[in-house]
Amino acid sequence: QAKYLAQIILVGAQVVGRAFMRALRQELAASRAAADARGRSERPQSAAASRITGISLQEAQQILNVSNLNPEDIQKNYDHLFKVNDKSVGGSFYLQSKVVRAKERLDEELRIQAKEEKERKAET
């Protein structure tokens, strides 16, 4: 009786282990596919800037509530959000740091765009 119970437990553990490994492989494949798609959607320099700053262009735009890369709008929203989230007025240092990182990421994107525009003009 105990022998059969041990076999059932062993077979059950093997089935669960295989299912877990299969699910893990699928999750890793999906994660790689998402990372590849994210990398393809951005230009190489822009993707590198996202990796360096730790924040994507889209996330930075959402944080600063800007839909296009207008330097005046970015600065205006940055100033407002930085001041509102200042710890001395009851704000959150975490949110304030996210605002700073978003501004850095958008400034880097503006620099990349300016460089690419300059290179295009030099080619013509």
Side-chain angles (χ1 to χ4, degrees):
Q1 188 97 289
K3 178 180 170 183
Y4 294 121
L5 185 58
Q7 285 180 338
I8 290 171
I9 291 172
L10 183 63
V11 170
Q14 288 174 343
V15 168
V16 169
R18 284 189 200 117
F20 178 76
M21 289 305 294
R22 191 176 314 119
L24 185 62
R25 279 190 218 106
Q26 288 174 346
E27 183 60 32
L28 286 172
S31 177
R32 283 189 195 118
D36 289 344
R38 190 171 45 251
R40 283 193 304 271
S41 68
E42 293 182 344
R43 296 179 318 279
Q45 287 183 330
S46 185
S50 291
R51 281 191 301 277
I52 290 168
T53 59
I55 188 170
S56 72
L57 178 60
Q58 291 77 20
E59 185 180 2
Q61 287 177 307
Q62 287 176 345
I63 290 170
L64 289 181
N65 194 28
V66 292
S67 54
N68 57 3
L69 296 180
N70 180 345
E72 292 80 25
D73 289 343
I74 292 170
Q75 188 63 46
K76 184 181 93 176
N77 290 359
Y78 167 77
D79 290 339
H80 171 72
L81 290 170
F82 189 84
K83 189 174 12 171
V84 169
N85 288 299
D86 191 358
K87 198 168 186 175
S88 65
V89 295
S92 165
F93 178 74
Y94 173 76
L95 292 177
Q96 194 177 44
S97 65
K98 290 295 271 187
V99 169
V100 170
R101 296 293 165 247
K103 172 86 167 55
E104 288 174 348
R105 176 64 182 92
L106 294 177
D107 287 345
E108 183 64 18
E109 188 66 24
L110 288 170
R111 187 191 66 71
I112 290 168
Q113 287 182 357
K115 181 180 175 187
E116 288 175 351
E117 184 66 29
K118 185 179 176 183
E119 288 172 355
R120 269 194 296 260
K121 286 182 180 179
E123 290 174 357
T124 58

